[in-house]
Amino acid sequence: MKSGIKDPIAVQRGVAVYTEVGQRSLTIPIDEKYLASASGHVTVQYVEPSDNGPLTIAETDAVLN
């Protein structure tokens, strides 16, 4: 999510997490309607679906250049 934008600017489904792997790199394409403003601070979230709605497993801030 980008500051000032309510909807996610990119979504990647089906990313597995293995606890024995200490690090993983992904390239996630940004939705075309947000490409022009794709710079600055963003929040990256790993979200898992649950019966009670989405559950945020991990979250970090990043900067798009």
Side-chain angles (χ1 to χ4, degrees), residues 39-52:
S39 64
H41 288 86
V42 294
T43 300
V44 179
Q45 296 176 320
Y46 183 83
V47 179
E48 181 176 282
S50 75
D51 292 339
N52 298 324

Side-chain angles (χ1 to χ4, degrees), residues 1 3 8 16 19 21 23 27-28 33 41 45 47 51 61 65:
M1 287 185 276
S3 179
T19 56
V21 177
Q23 180 175 316
T27 299
I28 302 172
K33 67 183 174 183
H41 288 86
Q45 296 176 320
V47 179
D51 292 339
D61 292 321
N65 295 319

